[in-house]
Amino acid sequence: MANKKPKKSDKVSKPVEKVKAETKTKSEKVVTAKVKGATETKTTKKVVKKKSSSKPKVIASGLSASGILESQPMKGFFKKKGDVDENVLTIFKKPRLYNLLGSLIGEVIGTMFLTIFMMTMGVYQPLYAIFIYIAVTAAITGLSGAHLNPLITAGMMASRRVSAIRGIIYILGQILGAWFGLLIVNAARLAAGSEAELPTMIAIGDGQFWPVTIIEMVGSLIFAFFFARATVYKRSTLTYAIMVGAGYLFASLTVIMISTKYFTLQNNFMMNPAIALMYQILPTGADNFGQLMTNLALALCTYAVLPMLGGVIGFYLSDFTQRLAGDPRK
């Protein structure tokens, strides 16, 4: 009986207990390692966060996240600010095509309303014009941005707020809208049997090219500058419309004072090439063909080309001062 063999269960129990102990030790080590790793990870994250917060984040415009001016304020000045994927190949594809058609209709209708007012009241009614501009701009803003003027569209294209193809289509729509406005005013005048003449603009005579051109360019630059600044507040339709109307009022009053006080001229500015064309500023006759072409080129330069150049300068001036001032808004 003394040489009794141990039970099979006794032989198994000891190794099992040993395995359990070893497993427990390993699991404790793994848990400890995991906790340690997590602690190190958290510490690392904190360090990285501190490092990233120590340097101000620089955005593409050359401004810091806090709006502080960086060493390169002009960085990205000519970067595309509108739809980067819009071009002549994509704009006529759905859904951009629908957006373009809606915007085009808005430009036609808005420019038509402005033309009706100008053809009825004339250019020397700036106090009335501010309310017209506010109302029309507020109504058309959601459709196309309410350019309603080729010089504004030229500035939007040059500052890359809209694509070139969209800008060209807008300008064609503005000319079409101005023509519709002229037709409506003429139809109403003829139906009423009125003998009143439509407001006219004085033709450019000898020695008047540069005075009239300077007046147009100054007014166009001022109006475009205000319009560019208004785009910063485009989220508020009312603020946007008021700034556009106030810009036109200030530009009109400025050119009226310049033209009457220094050049003794009247009815010689428009600051809207599309509406100016409806005032028949293009010559229809001359002594010879060469003279006709010369007069045509001078009229286009005064009332179309150079005012659009003034619009481009106004937009660039707005963007330039915004960069230097460190304004992060776009």
Side-chain angles (χ1 to χ4, degrees):
M1 297 299 290
N3 297 327
K4 186 178 180 180
K5 294 182 180 180
K7 293 182 180 179
K8 191 174 182 180
S9 59
D10 295 337
K11 292 182 179 180
V12 175
S13 62
K14 288 183 180 179
V16 169
E17 291 175 357
K18 187 176 181 181
V19 170
K20 285 183 177 180
E22 291 177 355
T23 306
K24 185 177 180 182
T25 306
K26 288 181 180 179
S27 62
E28 289 176 353
K29 289 181 180 178
V30 171
V31 171
T32 305
K34 285 182 178 180
V35 172
K36 186 178 181 182
T39 305
E40 290 178 355
T41 305
K42 288 182 181 179
T43 307
T44 307
K45 285 183 178 179
K46 287 182 179 179
V47 172
V48 171
K49 188 175 181 181
K50 287 182 180 179
K51 287 184 178 180
S52 62
S53 62
S54 62
K55 294 182 180 180
K57 185 180 179 182
V58 180
I59 58 178
S61 62
L63 306 172
S64 67
S66 59
I68 300 174
L69 187 67
E70 293 295 326
S71 59
Q72 296 180 345
M74 295 299 110
K75 183 179 179 181
F77 184 80
F78 294 102
K79 185 179 179 181
K80 199 167 185 178
K81 304 175 183 65
D83 188 352
V84 294
D85 297 324
E86 184 175 277
N87 52 54
V88 70
L89 299 177
T90 61
I91 195 171
F92 297 109
K93 295 180 180 180
K94 300 175 183 178
R96 282 193 177 91
L97 179 60
Y98 296 141
N99 175 267
L100 177 64
L101 290 176
S103 301
L104 181 60
I105 294 173
E107 287 293 314
V108 171
I109 295 175
T111 310
M112 181 186 70
F113 290 155
L114 290 181
T115 305
I116 292 173
F117 170 79
M118 292 297 181
M119 288 291 177
T120 305
M121 301 297 295
V123 296
Y124 273 69
Q125 299 294 337
L127 295 179
Y128 292 106
I130 184 174
F131 297 105
I132 298 299
Y133 259 95
I134 290 174
V136 176
T137 301
I140 307 298
T141 294
L143 301 177
S144 65
H147 298 185
L148 313 179
N149 193 327
L151 70 88
I152 296 298
T153 304
M156 295 287 281
M157 285 192 293
S159 59
R160 306 197 71 184
R161 286 174 168 84
V162 298
S163 62
I165 182 63
R166 180 178 288 269
I168 292 172
I169 293 173
Y170 275 17
I171 292 175
L172 295 176
Q174 291 156 6
I175 295 174
L176 182 62
W179 182 64
F180 284 158
L182 176 63
L183 291 180
I184 293 173
V185 172
N186 271 327
R189 185 173 63 91
L190 294 174
S194 175
E195 296 181 357
E197 295 291 333
L198 293 176
T200 57
M201 296 178 67
I202 296 176
I204 301 175
D206 295 336
Q208 292 183 345
F209 173 76
W210 283 115
V212 177
T213 302
I214 290 173
I215 290 170
E216 279 281 338
M217 283 198 67
V218 170
S220 300
L221 189 153
I222 294 173
F223 183 41
F225 178 83
F226 272 79
F227 196 100
R229 293 306 303 153
T231 58
V232 177
Y233 305 94
K234 203 169 182 178
R235 292 182 180 179
S236 174
T237 302
L238 182 59
T239 304
Y240 178 68
I242 290 175
M243 287 194 68
V244 171
Y248 181 80
L249 174 64
F250 180 70
S252 298
L253 292 176
T254 302
V255 297
I256 286 174
M257 289 187 292
I258 292 175
S259 61
T260 55
K261 185 174 183 179
Y262 299 106
F263 299 120
T264 62
L265 298 173
Q266 289 186 348
N267 295 331
N268 61 322
F269 71 91
M270 178 52 62
M271 300 183 299
N272 191 321
I275 301 178
L277 291 174
M278 302 305 115
Y279 271 77
Q280 299 179 354
I281 53 100
L282 298 181
T284 57
D287 296 336
N288 52 62
F289 181 76
Q291 185 65 38
L292 178 63
M293 290 295 101
T294 300
N295 294 339
L296 179 64
L298 291 175
L300 288 175
C301 285
T302 299
Y303 292 108
V305 178
L306 293 180
M308 292 171 74
L309 177 61
V312 172
I313 295 173
F315 269 83
Y316 278 159
L317 182 62
S318 172
D319 290 347
F320 181 73
T321 53
Q322 181 177 351
R323 293 296 185 113
L324 292 183
D327 188 355
R329 292 172 295 184
K330 294 183 179 180

